[in-house]
Amino acid sequence: MKISKKWTLPATPDDVYALSVDPAYQEEICEEAGALSHQSTVTETDSGHEVRVQRVMPSGDVPDLVKKVVGDKVDVTQVIAWGARQADGSREGTLEVSFKGQPMSMTGTASLAPDGDGTSVAVEGDLKAKIPLVGGKIEKLSAPEFIKAIGAEETVGMRRTSN
Protein backbone atom coordinates (compact mmCIF):
# COMPACT_ATOMS: atom_id res chain seq x y z
CA MET A 1 0.00 0.00 0.00
CA LYS A 2 1.37 3.39 -0.99
CA ILE A 3 1.86 5.94 1.78
CA SER A 4 2.66 9.56 0.99
CA LYS A 5 2.96 12.71 3.09
CA LYS A 6 4.31 16.10 2.11
CA TRP A 7 4.69 19.36 4.05
CA THR A 8 6.63 22.63 3.89
CA LEU A 9 8.91 24.00 6.59
CA PRO A 10 9.93 27.68 6.89
CA ALA A 11 13.68 27.05 6.59
CA THR A 12 16.27 26.39 3.90
CA PRO A 13 16.94 22.83 2.72
CA ASP A 14 20.39 23.00 4.36
CA ASP A 15 18.82 23.97 7.71
CA VAL A 16 16.17 21.25 7.45
CA TYR A 17 18.83 18.68 6.57
CA ALA A 18 20.97 19.77 9.53
CA LEU A 19 17.94 19.19 11.75
CA SER A 20 17.19 15.79 10.24
CA VAL A 21 20.69 14.50 11.03
CA ASP A 22 20.63 15.81 14.61
CA PRO A 23 20.06 12.93 17.07
CA ALA A 24 18.32 15.31 19.51
CA TYR A 25 15.79 16.19 16.78
CA GLN A 26 15.17 12.49 16.12
CA GLU A 27 14.63 11.90 19.85
CA GLU A 28 12.12 14.76 19.96
CA ILE A 29 10.21 13.22 17.04
CA CYS A 30 10.06 9.89 18.91
CA GLU A 31 8.69 11.62 21.99
CA GLU A 32 6.12 13.53 19.92
CA ALA A 33 5.03 10.26 18.30
CA GLY A 34 4.48 8.67 21.73
CA ALA A 35 7.32 6.16 21.67
CA LEU A 36 7.58 4.02 24.79
CA SER A 37 11.36 3.86 24.31
CA HIS A 38 13.71 5.01 21.58
CA GLN A 39 17.28 5.54 20.47
CA SER A 40 18.85 7.08 17.40
CA THR A 41 22.22 7.08 15.71
CA VAL A 42 23.52 9.25 12.90
CA THR A 43 26.48 8.08 10.85
CA GLU A 44 28.28 10.17 8.27
CA THR A 45 28.59 8.49 4.85
CA ASP A 46 30.48 9.36 1.68
CA SER A 47 27.53 11.30 0.27
CA GLY A 48 25.46 12.29 3.32
CA HIS A 49 24.32 10.60 6.50
CA GLU A 50 22.52 7.48 7.63
CA VAL A 51 19.90 8.19 10.28
CA ARG A 52 18.80 5.08 12.19
CA VAL A 53 15.96 5.37 14.69
CA GLN A 54 14.73 2.44 16.75
CA ARG A 55 11.58 2.92 18.79
CA VAL A 56 9.04 0.84 20.62
CA MET A 57 5.58 2.20 19.87
CA PRO A 58 2.15 1.33 21.22
CA SER A 59 0.23 -0.38 18.41
CA GLY A 60 -2.24 2.51 18.55
CA ASP A 61 -5.82 2.71 17.42
CA VAL A 62 -5.71 -0.26 15.10
CA PRO A 63 -8.49 -2.83 14.74
CA ASP A 64 -8.35 -6.16 16.55
CA LEU A 65 -7.22 -7.94 13.38
CA VAL A 66 -4.02 -5.87 13.32
CA LYS A 67 -3.47 -6.18 17.10
CA LYS A 68 -3.63 -9.98 16.75
CA VAL A 69 -0.69 -9.74 14.38
CA VAL A 70 1.42 -7.01 16.03
CA GLY A 71 0.37 -7.12 19.69
CA ASP A 72 0.05 -4.12 22.01
CA LYS A 73 3.39 -2.62 20.95
CA VAL A 74 5.71 -2.73 17.99
CA ASP A 75 9.50 -2.47 17.78
CA VAL A 76 10.18 -0.30 14.73
CA THR A 77 13.51 0.52 13.10
CA GLN A 78 13.61 3.31 10.53
CA VAL A 79 16.69 3.98 8.41
CA ILE A 80 17.08 6.92 6.04
CA ALA A 81 20.25 6.94 3.95
CA TRP A 82 20.57 10.52 2.71
CA GLY A 83 22.32 11.16 -0.57
CA ALA A 84 24.49 14.03 -1.68
CA ARG A 85 23.46 17.67 -1.57
CA GLN A 86 22.40 18.99 -4.97
CA ALA A 87 23.28 22.50 -6.19
CA ASP A 88 19.92 23.91 -5.02
CA GLY A 89 20.26 22.31 -1.56
CA SER A 90 17.85 19.47 -2.26
CA ARG A 91 18.53 15.94 -1.10
CA GLU A 92 16.98 12.54 -1.50
CA GLY A 93 17.31 9.51 0.69
CA THR A 94 16.22 5.91 0.71
CA LEU A 95 13.83 4.89 3.47
CA GLU A 96 13.53 1.46 5.07
CA VAL A 97 11.21 0.64 7.95
CA SER A 98 11.23 -2.79 9.59
CA PHE A 99 9.26 -4.30 12.44
CA LYS A 100 11.06 -6.70 14.75
CA GLY A 101 9.36 -10.08 14.65
CA GLN A 102 6.59 -8.87 12.33
CA PRO A 103 5.87 -9.72 8.68
CA MET A 104 5.61 -6.02 7.77
CA SER A 105 8.01 -3.55 6.19
CA MET A 106 8.06 -0.30 4.28
CA THR A 107 10.52 0.94 1.68
CA GLY A 108 10.53 4.27 -0.06
CA THR A 109 12.13 7.70 -0.23
CA ALA A 110 12.47 10.87 1.77
CA SER A 111 13.27 14.15 0.08
CA LEU A 112 13.99 17.80 0.79
CA ALA A 113 13.63 20.47 -1.89
CA PRO A 114 13.50 24.26 -2.03
CA ASP A 115 9.94 25.60 -2.02
CA GLY A 116 9.75 29.39 -2.16
CA ASP A 117 11.24 30.69 1.09
CA GLY A 118 11.03 27.25 2.69
CA THR A 119 11.62 23.57 2.13
CA SER A 120 9.26 20.94 0.86
CA VAL A 121 9.65 17.68 2.77
CA ALA A 122 8.19 14.50 1.32
CA VAL A 123 8.01 10.90 2.49
CA GLU A 124 6.76 8.22 0.14
CA GLY A 125 6.73 4.53 0.83
CA ASP A 126 5.26 1.18 0.03
CA LEU A 127 3.89 -0.62 3.10
CA LYS A 128 3.84 -4.41 2.81
CA ALA A 129 2.30 -6.96 5.15
CA LYS A 130 3.47 -10.41 4.06
CA ILE A 131 0.54 -12.35 5.44
CA PRO A 132 -1.43 -14.64 3.15
CA LEU A 133 -5.04 -13.63 2.51
CA VAL A 134 -5.19 -10.70 4.98
CA GLY A 135 -1.97 -8.79 4.17
CA GLY A 136 -3.73 -6.15 2.07
CA LYS A 137 -6.35 -5.56 4.73
CA ILE A 138 -3.69 -5.22 7.45
CA GLU A 139 -1.80 -2.71 5.27
CA LYS A 140 -4.95 -0.63 4.82
CA LEU A 141 -5.80 -0.74 8.53
CA SER A 142 -2.21 0.08 9.58
CA ALA A 143 -1.63 2.98 7.16
CA PRO A 144 -3.25 5.67 9.38
CA GLU A 145 -0.78 4.85 12.19
CA PHE A 146 2.13 5.29 9.76
CA ILE A 147 0.80 8.63 8.57
CA LYS A 148 0.34 9.73 12.19
CA ALA A 149 3.95 8.79 12.98
CA ILE A 150 5.19 10.77 9.96
CA GLY A 151 3.03 13.67 11.17
CA ALA A 152 5.11 13.80 14.36
CA GLU A 153 8.10 14.75 12.20
CA GLU A 154 6.09 17.55 10.62
CA THR A 155 4.97 18.84 14.03
CA VAL A 156 8.49 18.86 15.48
CA GLY A 157 9.92 20.34 12.28
CA MET A 158 7.43 23.21 12.39
CA ARG A 159 8.17 23.81 16.06
CA ARG A 160 11.94 23.83 15.48
CA THR A 161 11.96 25.98 12.31
CA SER A 162 9.31 28.50 13.32
CA ASN A 163 11.35 29.85 16.23
Side-chain angles (χ1 to χ4, degrees), residues 1-158:
M1 167 170 228
K2 299 289 183 196
I3 293 182
S4 180
K5 182 146 176 67
K6 187 175 181 180
W7 63 97
T8 301
L9 296 175
T12 68
D14 288 335
D15 289 340
V16 173
Y17 181 73
L19 266 181
S20 74
V21 298
D22 177 357
Y25 176 69
Q26 295 299 327
E27 300 287 320
E28 191 175 337
I29 292 169
C30 290
E31 291 167 10
E32 180 72 28
L36 303 171
S37 64
H38 52 85
Q39 63 182 18
S40 63
T41 57
V42 176
T43 307
E44 193 168 348
T45 65
D46 289 340
S47 60
H49 291 85
E50 179 185 270
V51 179
R52 177 178 298 271
V53 180
Q54 184 276 327
R55 56 188 139 202
V56 175
M57 299 289 297
S59 55
D61 297 327
V62 295
D64 289 339
L65 173 65
V66 177
K67 278 206 182 189
K68 285 180 183 177
V69 174
V70 301
D72 290 333
K73 56 187 173 183
V74 290
D75 189 337
V76 182
T77 300
Q78 171 185 299
V79 179
I80 298 178
W82 287 105
R85 180 188 188 279
Q86 302 302 304
D88 64 356
S90 64
R91 289 192 188 248
E92 189 161 306
T94 59
L95 168 68
E96 294 183 15
V97 181
S98 60
F99 302 83
K100 186 175 181 180
Q102 303 299 327
M104 292 181 71
S105 63
M106 187 169 86
T107 57
T109 60
S111 62
L112 308 172
D115 186 0
D117 292 336
T119 299
S120 174
V121 181
V123 176
E124 296 185 12
D126 192 17
L127 176 64
K128 291 286 183 195
K130 298 172 188 148
I131 304 168
L133 303 175
V134 297
K137 185 170 187 159
I138 289 176
E139 292 167 10
K140 186 176 179 180
L141 296 171
S142 301
E145 287 298 314
F146 277 86
I147 293 168
K148 187 167 91 175
I150 295 168
E153 184 172 351
E154 178 182 9
T155 299
V156 174
M158 287 299 290

